[in-house]
Amino acid sequence: PDTERAKVVKAWLSGGKGVKAAAAAALAGSDSEIQTFLTETLPVQTVQDNRVAIVSSLDRAGKGLRRAAVAALDSGDAAIAEFLKDGFKPAILEDLQVATSVVSATGDRAVQRDATAALNNGTQPTLITFLTDKQYDARQEDARVQVSAMLTQAGPEVQKYADRALSGTAADLEW
């Protein structure tokens, strides 16, 4: 139903800690407390909850996201609301691109190849897939290439261990 109390319940369901606490208090109160919550308390608590949401995420954010979040916090309530709506997305994409570039710089040919492909595609899902999955497959491919090179360039004892590594598991390649 589209009653005042239903609006408070909806705010309680979707709000942060401050909104939930204030909504719970309003629901236990009178109709005038419900009205006060909807007209005065809800907007104030929403702004506070938005600020808390941004600040609490800063310790897990990359540099791009931190920079955008701090800029939103410094720019006022409207900027904070916009940042939480969609404004964080470009900053996350930037952080994923930076992380992919760092992995590329520390990898060998297969890692660099797959990182470049992810960067050229440029979408968030592609970058996340590279960072969480494909980089490890590429590292394993690079390790196999390095161990294979040992088979042709090293002495008989190293060749024996290189052959064992190539015949074994992924962990065997990391010897």
Side-chain angles (χ1 to χ4, degrees):
D2 195 24
T3 65
E4 301 296 301
R5 284 192 182 274
K7 292 176 184 174
V8 176
V9 170
K10 184 177 179 183
W12 183 85
L13 289 171
S14 63
K17 288 182 180 182
V19 169
K20 282 187 188 305
L27 287 169
S30 66
D31 288 345
S32 67
E33 288 174 290
I34 294 287
Q35 197 59 31
T36 301
F37 171 80
L38 291 172
T39 58
E40 297 172 22
T41 309
L42 179 59
V44 171
Q45 285 301 322
T46 299
V47 167
Q48 282 303 109
D49 284 348
N50 287 348
R51 287 184 177 279
V52 168
I54 291 175
V55 170
S56 66
S57 70
L58 289 177
D59 64 334
R60 299 179 308 275
K63 287 183 181 181
L65 187 56
R66 262 186 302 221
R67 184 182 61 249
V70 169
L73 288 169
D74 290 344
S75 298
D77 298 342
I80 290 170
E82 179 56 35
F83 176 80
L84 289 173
K85 183 179 177 215
D86 284 324
F88 64 91
K89 291 179 180 177
I92 287 178
L93 187 61
E94 176 188 338
D95 287 343
L96 290 170
Q97 290 168 337
V98 168
T100 300
S101 295
V102 168
V103 170
S104 178
T106 61
D108 227 331
R109 285 185 179 174
V111 171
Q112 291 170 359
R113 178 198 66 222
D114 289 358
T116 299
L119 287 167
N120 287 342
N121 179 287
T123 64
Q124 185 172 338
T126 302
L127 293 167
I128 289 172
T129 299
F130 170 77
L131 290 169
T132 60
D133 186 37
K134 289 193 177 204
Q135 72 159 312
Y136 301 106
D137 294 337
R139 286 187 190 282
Q140 190 175 47
E141 181 181 331
D142 285 337
R144 287 195 176 281
V145 168
Q146 290 172 349
V147 172
S148 294
M150 288 180 196
L151 278 173
T152 61
Q153 300 169 356
E157 199 63 27
V158 171
Q159 287 178 347
K160 179 173 79 173
Y161 286 108
D163 189 44
R164 278 190 204 164
L166 287 173
S167 300
T169 66
D172 294 336
L173 290 170
E174 299 295 324
W175 56 285

